[in-house]
Amino acid sequence: MEKRSYRQACAVARGSDLLGERWTLLIVRDLLIAPRRFTELQTRLKGMGANLLTKRLRDLTTAGLVASPDADRCYALTERGL
């Protein structure tokens, strides 16, 4: 299935393309509270499959909003993500 997009060159549309995906804002919400391990996110986001969480974290990392796990194996929002 093709990813839906507004296909517009403004910041609001580009932000909505990424953050408008199901579960994404809930991931950001949890990372705003504190950096979290994958398993912590999985526990807090009941009903979200591991494969979808992996994809959303990968998309957020690629966009520069989330930092890959550090030595503590935690995901955290980057300065841009904040």
Side-chain angles (χ1 to χ4, degrees):
M1 181 165 90
E2 183 182 339
K3 184 176 177 180
R4 292 168 33 176
S5 171
Y6 289 104
R7 293 185 175 90
Q8 303 220 355
C10 79
V12 173
R14 288 193 312 261
S16 293
D17 283 345
L18 177 65
L19 298 174
E21 293 287 335
R22 188 169 186 221
W23 294 101
T24 303
L25 281 177
L26 297 178
I27 295 169
V28 171
R29 174 203 63 194
D30 279 2
L31 294 178
L32 274 169
I33 297 167
R36 306 222 185 257
R37 292 176 176 232
F38 183 90
T39 54
E40 291 175 291
L41 287 168
Q42 213 174 10
T43 300
R44 294 178 62 86
L45 299 167
K46 293 186 183 344
M48 182 180 198
N51 58 339
L52 185 57
L53 178 56
T54 299
K55 180 179 182 341
R56 294 293 186 263
L57 288 169
R58 186 180 318 121
D59 292 345
L60 289 166
T61 300
T62 300
L65 302 178
V66 170
S68 296
D70 57 15
D72 294 332
R73 305 185 80 200
C74 290
Y75 288 92
L77 291 175
T78 62
E79 185 175 316
R80 183 177 181 188
L82 290 170

